[in-house]
Amino acid sequence: GSGDVTFTGEVGAATSGELGAVTINSAHNVSIQSTFDAESLSQMAGTGTTTIGGAMTLATGLDLTTASIVINGNVDVQSGIIGLVATTGSVQINADLTTSGDINVTAAKGAVSMQNPSLINSGSGTITILADQTVTLGELSTSNATTSAVQVTSTTGDILLQQTITTAAAGGVTLSAPKGSILDENDGSTLITTGDLWLLAGSNIGQITDFAAGTGNAIDVDLSGTLRQAVVTGTGDIFLN
């Protein structure tokens, strides 16, 4: 679509006034500037940026597909899936995403960036983040007990940790940056607590440039299961704590 869609005021804020399922078939820019209460929100296609600027409460799900996505307001889905797909640009998450279902974030040709602090909490669902470029993480939390509880992939860039990653004791975390590095950007605040862990990087997993000076950060892990993989495919080092 070539036209813009803008919600300037509160949507569904009246007592028992929540909207039903809201669908945007196609648009250029979509801007939600205040609170938004509805059964669900779906955008099927877009050529610009969709921005969520106010707190959003949905009963059954959020599904956005457009060029770029910016989340500036907390999103609370009571029971359902959150799906964010940026087809050509980036996904910027500057607030919290919470649901009891799966959360899937994709930037097919761009980056995924979570502001520090921000939270993705999928309840008992899985968390999957896929980007072509660098993925910068805030806090990831799930009680999911499968080996695919958290899966984060950067196809050509780095994975940068800023906050904790937590799953159930029987869960698993996979971090894959086959052309880049997996780095701790906030030492002391980035513990990975899970069952089994898979790490794959093209360059470094953690980075310590000077042991004597204490320059750089290892990747901090607390595993109730097994370190299944820690592999650097190119020239680089692995630093785990």
Side-chain angles (χ1 to χ4, degrees):
S2 59
D4 295 338
V5 176
T6 302
F7 299 90
T8 57
E10 297 178 341
V11 175
T15 302
S16 300
E18 298 85 353
L19 300 185
V22 178
T23 300
I24 301 170
N25 287 324
S26 183
H28 182 229
N29 294 322
V30 176
S31 177
I32 299 173
Q33 299 176 0
S34 187
T35 59
F36 190 101
D37 293 352
E39 176 74 17
S40 63
L41 174 63
S42 298
Q43 182 177 353
M44 309 305 293
T47 56
T49 301
T50 293
T51 303
I52 296 176
M56 176 173 286
T57 303
L58 303 170
T60 61
L62 174 65
D63 185 9
L64 302 178
T65 299
T66 187
S68 297
I69 298 170
V70 179
I71 308 294
N72 290 328
N74 292 339
V75 176
D76 182 8
V77 175
Q78 296 168 14
S79 176
I81 293 174
I82 295 177
L84 307 177
V85 178
T87 55
T88 59
S90 63
V91 178
Q92 299 178 42
I93 301 171
N94 305 319
D96 298 345
L97 303 179
T98 304
T99 187
S100 58
D102 296 344
I103 297 179
N104 303 309
V105 180
T106 301
K109 296 183 179 180
V112 172
S113 178
M114 295 178 65
Q115 186 182 61
N116 183 23
S118 60
L119 167 69
I120 289 179
N121 185 340
S122 64
S124 60
T126 62
I127 299 171
T128 303
I129 300 173
L130 171 62
D132 178 59
Q133 300 175 18
T134 292
V135 176
T136 303
L137 296 175
E139 181 180 356
L140 306 183
S141 178
T142 176
S143 61
N144 189 275
T146 69
T147 56
S148 57
V150 173
Q151 296 181 300
V152 180
T153 302
S154 170
T155 306
T156 66
D158 300 325
I159 296 175
L160 306 179
L161 308 180
Q162 299 181 113
Q163 293 293 327
T164 57
I165 300 175
T166 306
T167 75
V173 172
T174 299
L175 304 180
S176 178
K179 300 294 177 108
S181 296
I182 301 170
L183 301 175
D184 178 350
E185 295 287 288
N186 190 19
D187 188 35
S189 300
T190 60
L191 181 66
I192 300 173
T193 303
T194 189
D196 296 339
L197 178 63
W198 289 259
L199 301 172
L200 171 67
S203 298
N204 293 300
I205 298 175
Q207 188 173 43
I208 296 179
T209 55
D210 188 328
F211 279 98
T215 305
N217 302 318
I219 303 298
D220 297 326
V221 301
D222 182 5
L223 304 182
S224 56
T226 303
L227 178 60
R228 298 287 185 140
Q229 180 186 55
V231 173
V232 169
T233 59
T235 301
D237 298 305
I238 299 173
F239 298 100
L240 300 177
N241 182 27

